[in-house]
Every structure is written in C-alpha cells, then in structure tokens.
Amino acid sequence: MRLSTKGRYAVMAMADLAVHAQDKPVALADIAERQEISLSYLEQLFGRLRKGGLVRSVRGPGGGYMLSRAGADIRISDIILSVDEPIQTTRCSPGSPAGCHNNKGRCLTHDLWEELANQIYLYLSSVSLEDVTQRRVLGTSGLIQGFEATAAQ
C-alpha cells in the first residue's frame, strides 16, 4: 500500500476533529494549527472527505466541520480511500489480469505484494476513528523496537 501524505494527514485531521468537535463545528484553521498542516491542504482534503460522506460542513459564524456519523462508525480505511487512490502495492493496474512485465506476465512476487495490500486494507478496515481517539490501537511496534534495542546490546 502506498500510504501518501494525503492519507496520513486526513487521518490525523479526522482524529483531531473527533476529539475537538464536542457537538459543535471545528474550524479547519484550528485543526491546521494543532496538527501543523497547511490550511489550504486541509481544505482540499476536507473537500474529498465531505464528498466521501465522512464530514459535513457548517456555514456561518462559528462554522466549520463535524463528523457525519459517530467515530465508531468511521473506519480508517474509509478515510484513506476518500482522499487517496485505492490501496495498491504492485505496479500492475488494480483488478487487471495483465501483469506488470512487458509481456503482460506477473512477476514472481506479485501475489506477495497483492496479499500485503489485502492485509493492510483488512487491518485499516478493522480500526475505527474512535479506536484511534480512545488510544485502543495497540500493536507490537513497541515490542519490535524494544526487541531491536535489546538485540543490539
């Protein structure tokens, strides 16, 4: 999966929105300041998130953005797919039977990378925005770093 800046920033901004909304709209300028993301970049991202049905805008004084539904009902994969291209780990066109070689064949590692994309998508689909904001996303990354530090000694 090619997780671009768009996807990462969209998840960061949506988490910020979920934490700070408290039944009132949040101005993009406030999110931009807290997350250190360009306001114009956030405007582009939120246009896509709105089209994706994940946020709604409120106009006028005190306006801004709100989540369109509860954070528990928004999957991280929904956010990323709203602002990014589909998850892709191979050079081949998604869904195409033709491979990435000149002769249209698949490379030996094609299925490996395709399955990696599937696993990433499944993982991101299993995590809700609420899981992120409530810090319920626990994994082995800390253990791996701890292992590497111990192994290096």
Side-chain angles (χ1 to χ4, degrees):
M1 174 182 177
R2 184 182 60 84
L3 183 57
S4 70
T5 303
K6 285 189 288 188
R8 287 193 311 269
Y9 283 5
V11 172
M12 290 167 54
M14 288 287 286
D16 185 285
L17 179 62
V19 167
H20 292 96
Q22 307 303 322
D23 295 325
K24 66 183 184 329
V26 176
L28 285 186
D30 294 339
I31 296 172
E33 184 178 324
R34 283 190 295 266
Q35 298 302 318
E36 300 177 359
I37 302 171
S38 156
L39 178 58
S40 61
Y41 198 64
L42 272 184
E43 288 169 345
Q44 293 173 23
L45 292 177
F46 271 73
R48 291 179 181 201
L49 292 167
R50 188 175 51 75
K51 286 179 185 173
L54 300 177
V55 297
R56 61 183 176 89
S57 61
V58 177
R59 296 183 179 267
Y65 283 89
M66 299 180 73
L67 297 178
S68 64
R69 54 187 188 263
D73 298 328
I74 297 175
R75 300 285 157 199
I76 301 304
S77 59
D78 298 335
I79 299 168
I80 292 170
L81 292 174
S82 288
V83 298
D84 271 338
E85 303 290 321
I87 297 170
Q88 183 177 355
T89 53
T90 64
R91 295 186 297 180
C92 308
S93 299
S96 171
C100 54
H101 286 283
N102 288 337
N103 66 2
K104 304 296 182 203
R106 290 181 167 195
C107 66
L108 287 174
T109 59
H110 179 91
D111 293 333
L112 169 71
W113 303 127
E114 196 166 280
E115 184 56 26
L116 174 62
N118 291 338
Q119 293 300 317
I120 292 170
Y121 176 78
L122 288 172
Y123 174 70
L124 294 176
S125 294
S126 74
V127 178
S128 72
L129 186 58
E130 185 178 273
D131 291 334
V132 173
T133 61
Q134 296 299 312
R135 300 185 185 270
R136 292 190 295 241
V137 182
L138 301 174
T140 58
S141 59
L143 295 175
I144 292 171
Q145 290 173 355
F147 174 76
E148 289 174 352
T150 305
Q153 292 176 358

